Amino acid sequence: MTTGVRRRMGVEERRQQLIGVALDLFSARSPDEVSIDEIAAAAGISRPLVYHYFPGKQSLYEAALRRAADDLAHRFQEPPEGPLGARLLRVMRRYFDFVDEHGPGFSALMRGGPAAGSTTTNAMIDEVRQAAYEQILAHLRVGEPPVRLALVIRSWVSLAESTALQWLDGRRIPRAELELQLVHDFAALCAVSAAYDDEMAAIVARMLADEPVQGPITELLGRLTRLAPPAVPPPR
Amino acid sequence: MTTGVRRRMGVEERRQQLIGVALDLFSARSPDEVSIDEIAAAAGISRPLVYHYFPGKQSLYEAALRRAADDLAHRFQEPPEGPLGARLLRVMRRYFDFVDEHGPGFSALMRGGPAAGSTTTNAMIDEVRQAAYEQILAHLRVGEPPVRLALVIRSWVSLAESTALQWLDGRRIPRAELELQLVHDFAALCAVSAAYDDEMAAIVARMLADEPVQGPITELLGRLTRLAPPAVPPPR
């Protein structure tokens, strides 16, 4: 119960406060385990007052998810300057920052718990994926992407999700290593696609042309070249 | 309504028939769009009789999904003979056969519609992923996988899902190309991980040592080598 000492908030201010409190709780534990009572207690208001602002837990969850989705989409934005590998690496760092901050809630959402699998939440997940996809297209300076490039980018976005989820499950690999690995994975998936398709080969060649010798992608190519020769059996 | 001309089925036989009919319908359209009335009509029995065997649509959906999951896990099984690349390619063909047969139902399930996001269906999806993971480990002859190998395999399983879902959305790339690409993606993700980790490098070296010159993985390495040199800028 409120005691009257606290100053009164306006409607929108209170809504925003509740969303923030809820996002913290939904991030720290599986949303199914968070009750309206807890949210009310953390916000310092009564349970009925929470219902005054939000009809139920699901609508508060969706509002919290909306804020998180906007935050994540914002972190994908990166000035189109400098080599692509370095830009992607900075984005991966901010992505893992986000995943780190919202760990249990991110896992619960992406693994599709009961609270998570609604049409609204699925639409928000797809929207963030689409934002990531469009950012990468913009960085590659490709307007109408060939279908194979679209496939590679969307596949890589799902790879980044899957890698982050596995990292959260025990954190047994340093996240900095995974951030770099995902940049490399992107280059590798592009290269695989380019090996059999001329249009993709031209895109990859342009991508690599801007990479500095000290950059993460050129460094990988050097390491792969050293890895490959002894492993490939000589022609018989 | 049954007319009496049809021979009477035993309880288990009828259950199995209903599961088969339901699986066909749930595969051909989003499960949310399939009604018990349709299932009853397709099975040639009355709606109340369906409820005699299954308490509701969700339980029939889960039984159909159980059969599909067992079928898919079965398709992952591949004799441990011959080069790994060729084995993986055969598994990918059977995987795309499955995806092709169950297209709309597979999409609806993996994209998490209202019917799909239950604890039971999520557990079945995870079980199939685990079966795929264990099959690959067995083919690599690795008992206790290093954490980086586990990550690569699970990441690749999710990449295969994401690639299949994108293929279903318009089928704009021939599936044979994607089946081969996924084998290459596996090699590429392993190689990326191996570039920075000695344990992974040893596993990849052993993997490549068994690959024939005509095999899909060696062929890729040749193509990548031809792709890379002109693209890497010379040291300044």
Side-chain angles (χ1 to χ4, degrees), chain A:
Chain A
M1 297 294 131
T2 47
T3 55
V5 178
R6 230 168 268 106
R7 102 187 146 75
R8 287 180 74 96
M9 290 186 184
V11 171
E12 192 48 35
E13 192 185 0
R14 177 64 85 189
R15 271 183 61 91
Q16 294 305 323
Q17 181 226 10
L18 272 172
I19 291 171
V21 164
L23 181 55
D24 285 348
L25 288 168
F26 289 139
S27 297
R29 293 212 312 285
S30 174
D32 300 322
E33 295 164 11
V34 177
S35 68
I36 287 280
D37 283 326
E38 263 181 285
I39 295 167
I45 63 175
S46 69
R47 181 185 162 93
L49 197 53
V50 175
Y51 284 109
H52 177 72
Y53 293 98
F54 293 93
K57 195 174 104 171
Q58 184 65 20
S59 89
L60 190 44
Y61 179 63
E62 286 169 5
L65 201 59
R66 174 77 272 153
R67 184 182 288 184
D70 292 343
D71 171 19
L72 181 53
H74 185 75
R75 297 188 201 209
F76 295 150
Q77 286 169 24
E78 172 70 26
E81 288 147 24
L84 184 69
R87 289 184 223 168
L88 267 185
L89 186 55
R90 282 191 293 270
V91 172
M92 283 301 98
R93 283 195 193 126
R94 292 197 297 269
Y95 177 61
F96 271 81
D97 282 344
F98 177 91
V99 169
D100 201 0
E101 287 161 29
H102 303 282
F106 181 82
S107 288
L109 173 67
M110 303 308 290
R111 294 193 191 279
S118 82
T119 313
T120 311
T121 56
N122 286 339
M124 275 193 265
I125 294 173
D126 281 343
E127 189 192 295
V128 173
R129 286 177 181 150
Q130 182 65 20
Y133 169 79
E134 286 170 7
Q135 275 295 316
I136 294 175
L137 269 191
H139 282 284
L140 293 176
R141 286 168 290 141
V142 177
E144 270 303 307
V147 60
R148 284 169 183 78
L149 179 62
L151 177 83
V152 165
I153 298 176
R154 290 193 196 279
S155 296
W156 180 75
V157 169
S158 92
L159 193 70
E161 284 172 22
S162 141
T163 301
L165 283 170
Q166 288 177 79
W167 174 68
L168 283 174
D169 185 14
R171 308 193 179 204
R172 280 164 294 175
I173 303 177
R175 54 170 270 195
E177 183 182 325
L178 297 179
E179 291 158 12
L180 181 61
Q181 182 179 303
L182 279 165
V183 176
H184 290 158
D185 287 343
F186 181 71
L189 295 179
C190 286
V192 165
S193 182
Y196 291 86
D197 184 76
D198 288 344
E199 201 173 12
M200 279 300 294
I203 292 170
V204 170
R206 211 181 61 201
M207 209 167 94
L208 291 177
D210 295 335
E211 285 302 306
V213 179
Q214 305 295 323
I217 290 179
T218 312
E219 192 193 347
L220 171 74
L221 286 176
R223 283 172 181 263
L224 286 182
T225 311
R226 286 195 293 282
L227 183 75
V232 179
R236 271 166 290 194

Side-chain angles (χ1 to χ4, degrees), chain B residues 17 51 66 103 108 181 184 195 223:
Chain B
Q17 181 226 11
Y51 283 109
R66 174 77 272 152
Q181 181 178 304
H184 290 157
R223 283 170 181 264

Side-chain angles (χ1 to χ4, degrees), chain B residues 67-96:
Chain B
R67 185 182 287 183
D70 292 343
D71 171 19
L72 181 53
H74 185 76
R75 297 189 202 209
F76 295 152
Q77 285 170 25
E78 172 70 26
E81 287 147 25
L84 185 69
R87 290 184 224 170
L88 267 185
L89 186 55
R90 284 192 292 271
V91 172
M92 282 300 97
R93 284 195 192 127
R94 293 198 297 269
Y95 177 61
F96 271 81

